Amino acid sequence: MTCEQARSRFMDFLYEEIDAATRQSLEAHLQTCSECRQEWEGLRETRALLQKLPQLEPESRLAFTAPPRRSLAEWWRDARNLLPQSGWARAAFGTVAALLMAIVAASIVNLHIIYDHGRFEMRAHLFQSPAPVPTPELQEQLLTRLRREMSDYIAEIHAAERAAQEEKLDRILTAFARDIERLEQQRENDLMLIGQELDAIHRVTHLQFGETNQMLQQLVQQISFQER
Amino acid sequence: MTDDQLIEQFLAGNLQAFNLLVWRWQKPIYNFALRFLGNAEDAHEVTQKTFIKAYKKLHTLKDRHKFNTWLHQIALNLCRDENKRRRRRTFISLDQIEPKWQSRLEKKTLPGVEGATVEKALQQMELQQILQQALERIPEEQRTVVILKELQGMKFTEIAELLGISVNTVKSRMYYGLNALRKILNQWNIDREAIYDDL
C-alpha cells in the first residue's frame, strides 16, 4: 500500500468502516511509514478531542399548541387595528363607508328621487308599488300616439323595403345587360372565326383543284402520246 | 413509537405526535446549530425555525425514513442563512479574535478560583470553547461534515445524501477538516497532554 492509498483509507479506518484485509494492509503500512503514522495519530487525537464535546441541553423545550379559538372581542379588536390610525384618514374612511351604506340602504328600500320643473319628490318603499291606472282621455291619447307611431314605423319599413327591391332590380338589369353585351361579343367572335375557317377551306380546295387539273393534264398528255 | 409512525399520526391531525418528534429531535438539532454557529442564542432561534418549517412542510417529505436527514437539511440551510446575515452584519479583524483563554490554559490556573474541582470544571469549559473556536475557523463545508459525522453520528452515505455530494467527497472533506483542526490547535500551542489530562 502506498502513502496516497493509505491516506485515502484513513477516514474508513477512523470510523471503522473498513474491511479486514484493507485494515491489515493499512496497519502494516503504518508500522513501516513514520510520516503516515504521525498523520494518523494526529487524526485519531483530533477525533478523540471532538468526542469530548458534550451534547448540551437546550435552554427550553419547544412545544407546539393548536391555535386558540378567538373570541368576538378579539375579532373586533383586530378589525379595529385594520382601520386607519390618523384622524383625517379615519374621517375619510368613515365618510366613504357611510356613503356606501346609504347607497346599499337606498337600493334596498327602492328610493326614488324625482325633480321635475322645480318640483322635488323623494319616495322610498320596500316593495314595488302598483302602476297608476290611466284616465280614458289619457288612454285615448296614448292609443292615438301609438297608432301614429306604428303607422310611421310601417311606412318607414315599407319605404326601406321598396328601396331595397329597386336596388336589387337595378342590379339584376345591369347584370342582364352585361350578359347580352358579352353574348353579342361572343357571337361576333364566332362569326369571325367561321369566316376565317371558310377562307382556309376555300384556299385548300382551290389548291387541290389546281393539283388535280395538273395531274389530269399530265394524264391526258401521256394517253395522247401512247395513242400516237 | 418510530418517527414514521409519529409522522403518520401528525399528518392525520395529531399535534401531540409532532410534539413527540420535537421532544426527540430538539437536542440533536440544537447541538448541531450550536456547533455550527457557536452561539447558544442563535442556535436556539435556528432550532425553533427548523421545527416551525418542519411543521409546515412535513407533508412534502416523501421518504419518511429520512426524517433525520431532512430535518438536518432544514437546520443546515437555516444555519447558512444565519451565517450570511452575520457576515453582512459584522466585520471583525483577525486581531480581535485572539483567543483569550490561551495564556490561562498554558498556566493551568484560573484567577480568583480555589480548589482543584472548580478549577478542573472551569478548564473543561475553556477547552470546550477552544474546540468550538477551532471548529469555527475551518471552512464551512468541512465544518458541516465534521459536525454531522463526529457530533451527530451520521453515516457517510447519509451526509452525502443530505449535502447532495458523493461519499468520497464527504470523506475527503472530513479528512481535510480533521487535519485543519489539528493544525489550528497546534498553532495555538495547546498542550495536547494537558488537554487529555483535563478532559
Side-chain angles (χ1 to χ4, degrees):
Chain A
M1 183 176 276
T2 63
C3 291
E4 196 179 342
Q5 286 170 334
R7 285 195 186 96
S8 71
R9 299 289 183 184
F10 274 171
M11 288 303 106
D12 297 329
F13 192 25
L14 193 62
Y15 292 96
E16 296 169 1
E17 295 180 18
I18 194 166
D19 59 87
T22 315
R23 183 193 179 96
Q24 278 178 357
S25 177
L26 186 59
E27 281 173 342
H29 176 80
L30 289 175
Q31 279 179 354
T32 56
C33 178
S34 61
E35 198 179 335
C36 284
R37 190 166 62 247
Q38 195 180 354
E39 188 180 349
W40 164 251
E41 287 302 324
L43 287 168
R44 210 168 54 81
E45 284 167 8
T46 312
R47 190 193 171 199
L49 270 179
L50 285 172
Q51 284 178 323
K52 301 290 180 185
L53 272 175
Q55 289 276 310
L56 300 176
E57 282 293 335
E59 288 172 10
S60 57
R61 280 285 175 185
L62 297 174
F64 283 71
T65 55
R69 288 178 180 277
R70 283 147 60 90
S71 67
L72 203 61
E74 283 171 325
W75 279 106
W76 176 241
R77 193 184 59 230
D78 290 347
R80 284 187 65 184
N81 286 337
L82 291 173
L83 293 174
Q85 299 302 314
S86 74
W88 282 107
R90 279 196 172 195
F93 182 82
T95 309
V96 171
L99 200 61
L100 282 172
M101 283 180 71
I103 290 168
V104 171
S107 67
I108 289 169
V109 299
N110 294 311
L111 181 70
H112 288 273
I113 300 170
I114 301 162
Y115 180 77
D116 186 20
H117 298 95
R119 190 168 62 90
F120 181 78
E121 189 183 347
M122 187 167 77
R123 284 200 303 269
H125 43 83
L126 277 173
F127 302 102
Q128 289 284 351
S129 58
V133 179
T135 58
E137 291 80 14
L138 185 62
Q139 282 182 14
E140 187 58 35
Q141 280 178 5
L142 283 170
L143 276 171
T144 309
R145 187 177 166 188
L146 191 64
R147 282 195 200 101
R148 192 174 63 245
E149 285 179 357
M150 286 299 289
S151 172
D152 290 346
Y153 180 62
I154 290 167
E156 200 176 313
I157 291 173
H158 180 68
E161 187 65 27
R162 189 173 174 182
Q165 281 181 354
E166 281 175 358
E167 192 183 346
K168 191 177 176 183
L169 188 63
D170 279 348
R171 280 202 305 275
I172 291 168
L173 287 173
T174 310
F176 187 63
R178 272 202 305 273
D179 287 346
I180 288 172
E181 192 179 346
R182 198 174 65 248
L183 283 170
E184 186 64 30
Q185 184 69 36
Q186 185 70 37
R187 195 175 69 84
E188 283 177 9
N189 289 342
D190 290 347
L191 284 173
M192 195 171 70
L193 284 171
I194 290 167
Q196 287 171 352
E197 286 296 319
L198 284 173
D199 285 345
I201 291 167
H202 179 69
R203 278 196 302 276
V204 169
T205 311
H206 182 70
L207 280 170
Q208 283 176 346
F209 279 151
E211 287 173 359
T212 310
N213 282 339
Q214 201 176 356
M215 282 173 67
L216 282 171
Q217 278 174 4
Q218 286 174 356
L219 193 65
V220 169
Q221 282 174 359
Q222 281 178 358
I223 293 166
S224 302
F225 181 73
Q226 285 173 357
E227 280 177 351
R228 273 198 300 259
Chain B
M1 196 174 283
T2 63
D3 286 350
D4 301 15
Q5 290 167 326
L6 288 173
I7 291 166
E8 198 167 330
Q9 285 194 13
F10 168 64
L11 293 177
N14 183 358
L15 183 63
Q16 290 317 312
F18 188 78
N19 276 329
L20 273 174
L21 284 169
V22 175
W23 181 81
R24 189 174 287 175
W25 286 101
Q26 188 184 350
K27 190 174 171 183
I29 294 295
Y30 171 75
N31 276 277
F32 171 76
L34 181 66
R35 298 308 172 200
F36 194 97
L37 299 168
N39 178 294
E41 198 179 330
D42 291 343
H44 187 66
E45 196 179 323
V46 162
T47 310
Q48 266 188 336
K49 284 180 181 173
T50 302
F51 285 105
I52 289 168
K53 203 164 182 179
Y55 179 87
K56 288 177 181 170
K57 300 278 181 184
L58 196 52
H59 64 280
T60 64
L61 177 63
K62 287 175 187 169
D63 191 349
R64 291 173 192 171
H65 296 289
K66 294 176 180 171
F67 177 71
N68 174 19
T69 316
W70 181 74
L71 199 62
H72 275 88
Q73 206 164 24
I74 296 174
L76 175 63
N77 288 335
L78 290 167
C79 283
R80 284 172 173 164
D81 291 345
E82 180 59 31
N83 258 353
K84 279 181 200 164
R85 256 199 304 277
R86 281 180 181 178
R87 276 198 288 272
R88 283 199 295 270
R89 218 163 43 200
T90 53
F91 294 92
I92 303 169
S93 74
L94 283 172
D95 298 337
Q96 285 176 278
I97 50 176
E98 181 67 25
K100 292 173 184 173
W101 35 261
Q102 192 166 335
S103 57
R104 284 186 293 173
L105 193 70
E106 281 167 349
K107 290 174 190 168
K108 294 176 88 174
T109 57
L110 290 167
V113 178
E114 290 179 4
T117 311
V118 176
E119 186 178 337
K120 192 173 178 181
L122 285 170
Q123 282 184 341
Q124 277 182 353
M125 284 175 66
E126 288 200 328
L127 288 168
Q128 287 169 19
Q129 285 175 11
I130 293 166
L131 289 169
Q132 182 62 47
Q133 288 198 25
L135 265 176
E136 287 169 35
R137 296 284 177 93
I138 66 174
E140 187 183 292
E141 57 181 23
Q142 293 172 13
R143 181 164 76 247
T144 307
V145 173
V146 169
I147 294 170
L148 289 172
K149 180 67 188 169
E150 195 52 66
L151 307 176
Q152 303 300 100
M154 280 191 177
K155 292 177 183 167
F156 284 128
T157 49
E158 286 177 325
I159 299 171
E161 191 176 348
L162 192 155
L163 298 175
I165 55 178
S166 71
V167 174
N168 281 337
T169 310
V170 173
K171 287 177 185 173
S172 171
R173 287 183 187 177
M174 188 75 201
Y175 172 77
Y176 286 114
L178 289 177
N179 270 329
L181 280 173
R182 187 162 57 90
K183 280 176 191 163
I184 291 167
L185 293 172
N186 287 343
Q187 276 172 7
W188 288 346
N189 293 323
I190 304 298
D191 184 348
R192 196 176 297 160
E193 295 302 321
I195 291 171
Y196 281 123
D197 289 347
D198 289 327
L199 289 176

